Amino acid sequence: MESMADVNLAQKDEKLKEVDSKTKPEDQQQAENKNMGTIDEESDDDEDYHVPEADIEEITNKSDNEAKHTDEPPEKIDLSCFSGILHHDPDEKSRNCWTVPDSKLFKVRSKNFPNDKSKIPAASYLMELAAIDWFKDTKRMDNVGRQKNCVAQVAAEKGMHTFIVNLQIPGSTHYSMVMYFVTSSLKKGSLLQRFFDGDDDFRNSRLKLIPSVPKGSWIVRQSVGSTPCLLGKAVDCNYFRSPGYLEVDVDIGSSAVANGVLGLVFGVVTTLVVDMAFLIQANTYEELPEQVIGAARLSNVEPSTAVVPDLENNSDGNKDNSSNDATSSEDDSSKKTN
């Protein structure tokens, strides 16, 4: 039978362990976390993710060594076979158009992020923005990638893979801003392939948006901000998986906060230039540094130019929540992949 002295000794020992765990040096805590191979999802101080253009040159050289650790982007694709409702204007001299902003404008988690929370300008995009459609209808438009002859269908016929972002804007007239990002291949085991073929919980925990308003009123720029956002935690996201594409339908109306910001933005959308970058959040050390899937810059979009899509004239695009029934990964080492 234990004596009272033994019990008291044991209790003191437990208290000492408790104090020790609370006062453990920060570097020791980080070392233990690193051994676990994961990053605290909530530890990311995401302020000032968007880098002013004037600062790009100053910080590019600093991040060159880190950039070497990133996967090679896919080889360039001939995008001349793709077209959408909004026209592409690389020179940004017209209205109601799109272009691709410099990837270095967006800051992402660096290789050293777990230790010092540092971020670096993003390396080259993993996928290329092929086209943007601007749709309207009397009801919400889901799974637009099934539409015959759309970018996703054309890309699939050529053996490519498409990531579709369908931003759904509610109202008396429903609008959809649809961005098509394409790549020639998906490397088996890569984060991009795992995102394509993962389940919805995985996608919702990883898909991140970095917004910015390079041109617009102060109140709009403040409302939109430039803080990265996990889309699946902010609004309802519905995913559609087909052998040729993955589509995410972002229901902006599902969040009162997002809908409020949208109401402010949409009212003056013809005066704005808006940037949107999409990436898969890195949650393990092996996934660092983060890489951006792709980005779009929308200039002075005119709601009156939106068209009604012919979604009845479609190919076989079915929602797949089981994630891996439709696999699109390729393990072709002869191609530059994610």
Side-chain angles (χ1 to χ4, degrees):
M1 187 173 180
E2 283 186 312
S3 67
M4 185 63 69
D6 290 333
V7 172
N8 289 336
L9 210 62
Q11 288 175 341
K12 286 181 180 179
D13 188 50
E14 287 299 318
K15 287 181 179 178
L16 283 172
K17 287 180 181 178
E18 184 179 346
V19 171
D20 182 59
S21 65
K22 288 180 180 178
T23 58
K24 193 176 294 181
E26 186 176 348
D27 55 351
Q28 186 178 342
Q29 290 277 21
Q30 290 173 344
E32 290 182 3
N33 287 341
K34 187 167 184 178
N35 290 334
M36 292 167 62
T38 60
I39 302 169
D40 180 6
E41 291 182 48
E42 306 302 326
S43 67
D44 192 356
D45 178 11
D46 277 333
E47 294 297 326
D48 300 323
Y49 248 67
H50 192 276
V51 190
E53 295 191 37
D55 295 340
I56 293 176
E57 292 184 5
E58 296 177 12
I59 55 182
T60 299
N61 292 334
K62 184 179 178 182
S63 63
D64 279 347
N65 291 333
E66 289 185 276
K68 291 177 183 177
H69 294 290
T70 60
D71 292 326
E72 289 292 325
E75 53 194 21
K76 283 291 182 181
I77 297 172
D78 179 8
L79 302 176
S80 61
C81 59
F82 304 117
S83 62
I85 305 302
L86 290 187
H87 74 279
H88 181 208
D89 181 5
D91 299 322
E92 301 181 57
K93 293 182 178 179
S94 57
R95 298 174 59 83
N96 201 45
C97 65
W98 66 270
T99 190
V100 178
D102 191 327
S103 63
K104 296 183 180 68
L105 288 172
F106 305 98
K107 290 186 73 178
V108 297
R109 296 178 176 186
S110 74
K111 200 73 176 175
N112 291 324
F113 175 82
N115 300 318
D116 57 16
K117 299 296 185 288
S118 62
K119 303 177 183 78
I120 58 173
S124 300
Y125 298 123
L126 296 178
M127 303 182 78
E128 294 189 57
L129 181 56
I132 296 181
D133 277 330
W134 184 215
F135 294 141
K136 67 179 178 182
D137 207 339
T138 56
K139 58 185 181 299
R140 196 178 73 185
M141 292 153 281
D142 297 331
N143 193 12
V144 296
R146 72 183 190 273
Q147 186 178 203
K148 193 172 183 180
N149 297 324
C150 77
V151 170
Q153 299 299 328
V154 173
E157 290 173 2
K158 297 179 178 295
M160 300 179 192
H161 312 283
T162 307
F163 176 50
I164 305 171
V165 179
N166 176 11
L167 297 180
Q168 299 173 320
I169 304 168
S172 54
T173 297
H174 291 257
Y175 291 89
S176 272
M177 182 65 69
V178 185
M179 290 160 272
Y180 304 90
F181 300 94
V182 298
T183 185
S184 57
S185 61
L186 295 175
K187 184 179 180 181
K188 186 176 181 180
S190 68
L191 185 54
L192 186 61
Q193 179 266 317
R194 286 160 49 208
F195 177 75
F196 261 65
D197 295 328
D199 60 27
D200 289 359
D201 288 339
F202 177 80
R203 294 164 181 155
N204 280 331
S205 70
R206 296 300 192 98
L207 181 59
K208 188 186 287 184
L209 163 69
I210 306 178
S212 180
V213 181
K215 179 183 176 183
S217 67
W218 178 86
I219 190 170
V220 170
R221 285 186 280 115
Q222 289 295 113
S223 298
V224 174
S226 58
T227 302
C229 167
L230 283 170
L231 282 174
K233 291 187 177 181
V235 295
D236 290 344
C237 292
N238 297 306
Y239 299 88
F240 298 87
R241 186 69 174 99
S242 165
Y245 68 85
L246 170 65
E247 176 175 334
V248 55
D249 289 356
V250 183
D251 183 6
I252 299 175
S254 63
S255 163
V257 174
N259 207 28
V261 174
L262 174 66
L264 177 64
V265 170
F266 201 69
V268 293
V269 68
T270 59
T271 68
L272 303 178
V273 174
V274 179
D275 286 353
M276 289 180 284
F278 301 93
L279 64 153
I280 308 168
Q281 179 168 277
N283 283 353
T284 68
Y285 293 86
E286 293 72 23
E287 295 167 355
L288 291 170
E290 288 181 326
Q291 292 177 274
V292 178
I293 298 173
R297 171 168 291 176
L298 303 168
S299 299
N300 310 106
V301 175
E302 297 280 354
S304 61
T305 62
V307 304
V308 178
D310 184 10
L311 295 179
E312 299 305 316
N313 183 16
N314 60 72
S315 300
D316 292 328
N318 298 312
K319 186 172 183 179
D320 176 19
N321 283 326
S322 62
S323 76
N324 288 316
D325 292 343
T327 302
S328 64
S329 58
E330 295 178 6
D331 192 12
D332 186 350
S333 58
S334 66
K335 296 180 180 179
K336 293 180 181 179
T337 59
N338 169 33

